[in-house]
Amino acid sequence: MRTDTADVERPAATPAFQPLGFGRKLKNGAATALFGAAFLIAVIPLLWVLFTLLQKGLAPLLRPDWWSHSFNGLTANDYNGGIYHALMGTLLEGLVCAIISVPLGVLVGVYLIEYGQDSRFAKVATFTVDILSGLPSIVAGLFIYALWITTFGFNRSGFAVALSLVLLMVPVVVRVTETMLLIVPDELREASYALGVPKWKTIVKIVLPTALSGILTGVMLGLARVLGETAPLLILVGYAKAISFNLFDGGLASLPLVIYTERSTGTEAGDYRVWGAALTLVLVIMLINLAASLLSRLFAVKTK
């Protein structure tokens, strides 16, 4: 039987990928242009804010005393002094908030996924977390004011601020823990149970280490979010220009409180400090986000 060369070179079946028609190319181009425009609309304000912050707030940060001194003894028109007192106050309040929020949020998340299932108590806990997730920061501050200061009789302090931040951070930690635990394959749990390992030890030794990377990332991002809250600061603590490490009595400065207080002076020196404090706060949050990314890589499950 004779077979022509043209018949041998011809594909046995029609190619799966056909050249795009004009209409599909037009739609693809329009979609690409639309998404590109949306990206620019979202990024331009961000770049504008960052440029303004660097333009107006970089000068204070380049002075060595900005990082080692406070505003104690300065008048409204002085350009000296530094942000050390507010930086330490912000970090102390964030540290206390994290010490309370992280174990509490992780334990609630573990209960909801590993133990609670569809129980009535789990449904109540989930509903409470949903309410707290949308709680305005001013309401959290007012609640702590009514409970901690009015009812229990304690003074306004940095610790009261940390308690109000706990109300804002716990739902973030709970949601992140739930999400990360749901990602852990059930095969890991079943293999552990098949070897006779108790459930609590399976959670501690296998489930939590597998989800640790994502949980740590969520914790750091939640902490970065609450450190920028201002409303609880205005209600629960007084502003102090001097350096203070006392969380339980007296005024305590923080970066958002410095921005609010110095803005009210109405002087050029006050604006100088406001922009410097704003850029410092952005740098602190950026460093926390970078730390979250680093921790995520360090504690990620090794697949090789």
Side-chain angles (χ1 to χ4, degrees):
M1 182 176 63
R2 178 177 176 273
T3 303
D4 293 338
T5 304
D7 294 336
V8 173
E9 294 178 351
R10 183 182 304 164
T14 304
F17 297 98
Q18 298 292 331
L20 292 177
F22 176 76
R24 294 184 64 181
K25 286 183 179 179
L26 183 62
K27 293 177 182 176
N28 183 58
T32 303
L34 182 62
F35 286 123
F39 172 76
L40 289 177
I41 291 173
V43 166
I44 285 176
L46 174 62
L47 294 178
W48 193 354
V49 170
L50 290 177
F51 174 76
T52 306
L53 273 175
L54 289 173
Q55 184 186 32
K56 298 186 176 182
L58 187 59
L61 271 64
L62 297 179
R63 292 191 352 250
D65 61 342
W66 180 259
W67 304 101
S68 58
H69 289 67
S70 68
F71 293 155
N72 193 26
L74 299 181
T75 65
N77 294 310
D78 287 334
Y79 282 84
N80 298 322
I83 205 72
Y84 178 77
H85 63 311
L87 186 60
M88 294 307 300
T90 298
L91 294 179
L92 285 174
E93 290 168 353
L95 179 63
V96 174
C97 172
I99 289 174
I100 300 174
S101 302
V102 173
L104 183 61
V106 170
L107 288 175
V108 172
V110 168
Y111 171 78
L112 292 176
I113 298 300
E114 303 293 339
Y115 291 97
Q117 306 298 331
D118 295 327
S119 67
R120 183 174 300 177
F121 185 70
K123 291 179 179 177
V124 172
T126 301
F127 178 74
T128 305
V129 172
D130 290 339
I131 296 297
L132 288 177
S133 298
L135 187 70
S137 59
I138 185 69
V139 177
L142 288 173
F143 173 75
I144 295 299
Y145 183 85
L147 179 67
W148 187 253
I149 297 175
T150 303
T151 303
F152 292 159
F154 292 102
N155 295 325
R156 298 170 69 208
S157 62
F159 186 74
V161 174
L163 291 179
S164 68
L165 298 182
V166 167
L167 295 177
L168 303 174
M169 185 171 174
V170 163
V172 177
V173 179
V174 173
R175 289 298 179 222
V176 168
T177 304
E178 281 184 292
T179 304
M180 290 299 107
L181 293 183
L182 286 173
I183 294 175
V184 177
D186 286 337
E187 287 78 4
L188 289 178
R189 298 178 177 85
E190 293 167 358
S192 179
Y193 299 152
L195 294 174
V197 180
K199 185 172 184 177
W200 70 268
K201 189 173 285 186
T202 299
I203 294 171
V204 173
K205 296 289 186 181
I206 297 176
V207 177
L208 283 179
T210 305
L212 184 61
S213 170
I215 294 175
L216 285 176
T217 302
V219 166
M220 299 299 284
L221 295 178
L223 183 61
R225 181 245 173 179
V226 299
L227 287 182
E229 294 291 349
T230 307
L233 299 168
L234 303 178
I235 302 171
L236 298 172
V237 68
Y239 175 61
K241 288 187 174 182
I243 297 172
S244 173
F245 298 99
N246 191 345
L247 275 170
F248 297 96
D249 192 22
L252 186 69
S254 59
L255 292 170
L257 201 54
V258 165
I259 295 171
Y260 174 81
T261 304
E262 295 298 330
R263 182 70 183 86
S264 62
T265 61
T267 63
E268 292 185 2
D271 290 343
Y272 176 80
R273 297 171 192 166
V274 166
W275 286 107
L279 183 57
T280 304
L281 180 59
V282 170
L283 287 178
V284 169
I285 293 175
M286 187 177 68
L287 288 176
I288 292 176
N289 287 334
L290 289 176
S293 177
L294 180 62
L295 288 175
S296 175
R297 293 185 180 183
L298 286 177
F299 290 96
V301 176
K302 306 297 186 295
T303 57
K304 293 182 180 180

